[in-house]
Amino acid sequence: METSMKCVKYLLFAFNLLFALSGLLLIITGGVVQGAYSEYLDFLGDSFFNTPVFLSVVGCIIFFVAFFGCCGAIKENQCMTLTFGILLGIIFLMEIGAGIAAYQLKGQMNVLIEKNMEKGMKNYKQPGYEGVTKTWDIIQREMRCCGAQEFRDWGNTTFSEKTNVPDSCCLSDIVDCGKSVLTENDSKAAMKIHLGGCFETFSTQIQENVAVLGGVGIGIGFMQFLGMVSAFLLARALKKEYETV
């Protein structure tokens, strides 16, 4: 019994080290994703950022719980070990929920992004919509694209006057390089601007990152499930030991 309890004890201690690292991983992952896409808030909406923020919060909680678990394992305290197991169970359910929510969001992203892109184009360069204008310029420069589906989408906006595209569409970022582009055929336009739309590239990139977020949450959740089982086994072993004393 004593040898078995020691094995569970050291196994739990090892799990706690992994938990601390997983908490750090969650904090970093959530922070990086939120920071990297904060400039695209007008396209993504608040729902996209809920998952990385939630994972970062869970990561902070895991740090505290891992410390609690280490104390319980080292001191062989049944109450602390049992509490640790219960807390892990709660965190496990939270992370599985976050993972499922991320995958559900992945299926909705196409509609959400396309809707926000089209809405943003209509408000481009309009007073009070500086954030939308900045977002469109950033995405068109970084992804070398123009418009949502194609560059001629800009012809349906107030900004274009049916002839212009933003300078951020251009192959070389020169002032007024997008003027009168919509009056030219595709071959001539291709000599000045990027013809392809931004929607497909941007949407694919976002969905891949949402899938990564969901996978991280579920993967760490599974590892914590094993730690929860170890905590309950140790608590049970400690209870039996105290009952025989």
Side-chain angles (χ1 to χ4, degrees), residues 40-235:
Y40 305 125
L41 179 61
D42 292 294
F43 289 169
L44 299 172
D46 293 331
S47 57
F48 174 81
F49 292 95
N50 289 338
T51 299
V53 169
F54 179 75
L55 289 180
S56 295
V57 171
V58 171
C60 294
I61 295 174
I62 288 175
F63 259 24
F64 168 76
V65 173
F67 174 77
F68 197 82
C70 284
C71 291
I74 292 174
K75 294 183 178 181
E76 296 184 4
N77 185 298
Q78 181 199 357
C79 182
M80 292 183 71
T81 304
L82 186 60
T83 302
F84 170 69
I86 294 172
L87 290 174
L88 273 187
I90 295 172
I91 294 174
F92 168 72
L93 293 176
M94 290 171 65
E95 288 184 340
I96 294 298
I100 293 173
Y103 281 114
Q104 288 178 338
L105 179 62
K106 179 184 176 182
Q108 301 169 1
M109 287 311 296
N110 277 351
V111 176
L112 178 65
I113 292 173
E114 186 173 21
K115 179 181 177 181
N116 288 339
M117 276 187 163
E118 291 174 354
K119 180 180 177 181
M121 289 182 71
K122 293 178 180 179
N123 294 320
Y124 185 83
K125 290 289 187 180
Q126 299 301 307
Y129 291 95
E130 290 77 11
V132 172
T133 301
K134 182 180 178 181
T135 299
W136 262 112
D137 286 338
I138 289 173
I139 194 172
Q140 289 184 147
R141 287 191 181 100
E142 290 186 352
M143 297 190 176
R144 299 180 180 180
C145 54
C146 188
Q149 304 297 340
E150 62 165 346
F151 76 101
R152 294 197 184 277
D153 290 345
W154 285 107
N156 300 319
T157 67
T158 304
F159 153 79
S160 73
E161 299 178 352
K162 307 297 181 183
T163 62
N164 307 325
V165 299
D167 292 346
S168 54
C169 287
C170 297
L171 301 177
S172 299
D173 200 354
I174 303 172
V175 177
D176 293 336
C177 60
K179 275 192 173 182
S180 303
V181 168
L182 294 177
T183 63
E184 301 176 350
N185 59 40
D186 289 3
S187 297
K188 289 185 177 180
M191 299 174 65
K192 298 180 180 179
I193 66 169
H194 302 288
L195 302 186
C198 303
F199 169 72
E200 186 174 350
T201 302
F202 184 66
S203 179
T204 300
Q205 181 177 320
I206 294 299
Q207 289 192 53
E208 288 174 352
N209 282 284
V210 169
V212 170
L213 277 177
V216 169
I218 292 176
I220 293 178
F222 177 73
M223 184 178 69
Q224 289 174 349
F225 175 77
L226 297 178
M228 179 180 64
V229 173
S230 299
F232 287 140
L233 289 175
L234 179 58

Side-chain angles (χ1 to χ4, degrees), residues 11-28:
L11 180 62
L12 181 59
F13 189 83
F15 269 121
N16 272 288
L17 178 59
L18 291 176
F19 294 153
L21 293 176
S22 68
L24 181 61
L25 176 62
L26 285 177
I27 294 171
I28 292 174

